[in-house]
Amino acid sequence: MSATVLVTGGLGYIGAHTCVALAEAGRDVVVVDNLANSSSAVLDRIAGLTGRAPAFVHGDIRDVGLLAATMREHEVGSVIHFAGSKAVGESVGRPLSYYDNNVGGSMALLAAMAATGVRTLIFSSSATVYAQSGRMPLAESAALGASSPYGRSKLFVEHMLADLCGSDPAWAVACLRYFNPVGAHPSARIGESPRGVPNNLMPYIAQVAVGQRERLSVFGADYDTLDGTGVRDYVHVLDVAEGHVKALDYLQRAGGHAAINLGTGRGVSVLEMLREYERASGRTIAFQVAPRRAGDVAQCWAEVALARSLLGWQARRSLAQMCEDSWRWQRDNPQGYR
Ligand code: NAD
Ligand code: WQD
């Protein structure tokens, strides 16, 4: 079997689901995570689902020596790089911390890869790297231009990786631009466990449904959309996880450099999501219309043809499954992993 996959940030939300998908594909995994936004309890949960916990190194990706030693010790052949900070609003107030963790962390990882001869990388990018043109769907060739320090940190790393691949064809790199990953593993053993007030729609709805928060604020009902509320491309986190397995197969087969959207290609409004979640949970979800949130676009969804043609991947799970799996996770783990 092929060499071990290093998964940075592998105990986080998308990372944990990807560890499960990798194990199911027969891949050996070593996780490096500093637990800044996760819990070591995730290891047991993964083991419960796959029969074996991934190897785990508690450490920071900005530590080049630690990364290089881990790569050597575990005979790492490829890297999936999730580790980073992800709150758009927080990044506006703490830009240097975001550039340090997301750009500095990625540079440290690349230095360790260069030192150990590992040349295959999947990078967690985001739909937030696209400029706000309003034209949908967003194809990978659309104009780039992020509007927050978080978004720019993703864009800088994407540019860095393109330059690196241009300098040396031995590198094989995929930047996967996620749209809005939601939901949880259907077992309800792993899921999203936000600290404090959730920034994102589905975790907020989930906390209202379970009775931890009173009502959802719908940020704007006067957009030029079907029902006036914001429209996004929500994609099941397990579909996203499986996209990484396909991307790894692809890179090991074809090499090269690509940026690829992971979404469903379908837009869903805030109110549609709320109604679907009410159906899935059997609970009424109170809401109030609030002012628009700064920086939000009216609508955003992906062109998904490239993922299909290059990776043979397409999202399979429905909005109903996203809501049902999120609800099961929230109901069974109201305090997340805590
Ligand atoms: P997450 O916060 O749940 O996971 C990130 C993990 O990285 C956490 O376990 C955290 O402890 C770890 N980490 C952070 N800094 C680290 C460091 N310096 N060293 C070692 N570990 C570190 O986030 P997620 O939702 O799983 O997102 C994973 C990646 O995908 C991130 O890079 C994020 O920016 C990107 N992304 C996420 C979304 C989304 O909506 N969740 C959308 C687009 C892109
Ligand atoms: C979705 C819709 C809100 C919360 C963010 C990041 C993006 C990516 C994914 C990392 C919007 C509305 C939300 C609430 C609401 N992350 N909403 N009330 O903004 O599309 O994307 O997460 O890369 O970079 O920006 O996702 O879930 O925050 O919002 O009405 O309490 O729900 O206005 O229309 P977003 P979201």
Side-chain angles (χ1 to χ4, degrees):
M1 192 59 214
S2 52
T4 303
V5 185
L6 168 62
V7 181
T8 76
L11 300 191
Y13 172 47
I14 306 172
H17 290 84
T18 302
C19 285
V20 171
L22 287 166
E24 284 169 356
R27 300 272 193 169
D28 288 326
V29 170
V30 57
V31 168
V32 174
D33 198 303
N34 67 358
L35 305 181
N37 195 34
S38 53
S39 156
S40 57
V42 176
L43 285 167
D44 285 344
R45 303 281 185 109
I46 295 173
L49 291 172
T50 65
R52 187 156 71 107
F56 174 56
V57 177
H58 181 191
D60 197 295
I61 55 159
R62 288 162 293 190
D63 184 340
V64 181
L66 176 83
L67 288 182
T70 302
M71 289 181 193
R72 288 196 183 97
E73 185 187 336
H74 292 270
E75 299 181 358
V76 165
S78 56
V79 179
I80 304 182
H81 177 32
F82 292 107
S85 312
K86 65 165 179 177
V88 176
E90 183 185 58
S91 79
V92 176
R94 302 181 57 214
L96 294 184
S97 151
Y98 271 68
Y99 290 125
D100 178 30
N101 205 27
N102 293 2
V103 181
S106 298
M107 289 180 69
L109 172 64
L110 291 169
M113 290 176 72
T116 53
V118 180
R119 294 285 183 275
T120 302
L121 174 70
I122 296 175
F123 172 61
S124 292
S125 190
S126 165
T128 197
V129 298
Y130 290 112
Q132 300 187 2
S133 71
R135 277 188 302 276
M136 296 299 143
L138 284 164
E140 289 82 353
S141 55
L144 301 178
S147 54
S148 70
Y150 166 74
R152 277 186 284 277
S153 76
K154 292 289 172 190
L155 201 46
F156 290 163
V157 175
E158 278 210 18
H159 286 314
M160 221 158 63
L161 292 171
D163 289 341
L164 190 60
C165 291
S167 76
D168 179 353
W171 286 90
V173 175
C175 297
L176 299 183
R177 296 177 180 156
Y178 317 146
F179 278 65
N180 292 61
V182 296
H185 195 276
S187 65
R189 297 300 290 160
I190 54 174
E192 191 169 13
S193 180
R195 295 185 176 169
V197 183
N199 296 309
N200 297 114
L201 180 64
M202 191 179 276
Y204 203 105
I205 289 182
Q207 292 192 4
V208 175
V210 85
Q212 288 171 341
R213 300 198 185 270
E214 205 176 330
R215 62 172 58 84
L216 174 75
S217 291
V218 175
F219 296 144
D222 57 351
Y223 284 109
D224 186 16
T225 60
L226 212 60
D227 61 21
T229 65
V231 166
R232 297 292 184 274
D233 186 338
Y234 300 97
V235 53
H236 198 294
V237 65
L238 268 186
D239 281 326
V240 172
E242 289 164 9
H244 290 73
V245 177
K246 297 258 184 179
L248 198 55
D249 291 342
Y250 168 76
L251 286 178
Q252 289 177 335
R253 195 171 63 238
H257 170 256
I260 305 169
N261 291 338
L262 294 187
T264 63
R266 171 176 175 236
V268 170
S269 78
V270 173
L271 289 180
E272 277 180 87
M273 173 68 93
L274 187 132
R275 297 300 172 219
E276 190 61 47
Y277 211 99
E278 286 187 323
R279 196 199 56 74
S281 64
R283 305 280 175 101
T284 300
I285 295 161
F287 73 95
Q288 66 193 7
V289 174
R292 293 181 178 190
R293 183 173 66 179
D296 271 359
V297 293
Q299 47 188 22
C300 174
W301 67 86
E303 168 59 62
V304 294
L306 190 64
R308 203 179 308 132
S309 64
L310 281 188
L311 310 182
W313 174 90
Q314 74 188 80
R316 297 187 289 133
R317 294 165 177 89
S318 65
L319 184 65
Q321 282 171 290
M322 299 179 212
C323 293
E324 285 157 13
D325 291 340
S326 160
W327 169 243
R328 205 174 299 116
W329 158 256
Q330 185 69 39
R331 189 195 56 197
D332 292 0
N333 308 267
Q335 305 304 324
Y337 296 109
R338 288 176 288 282

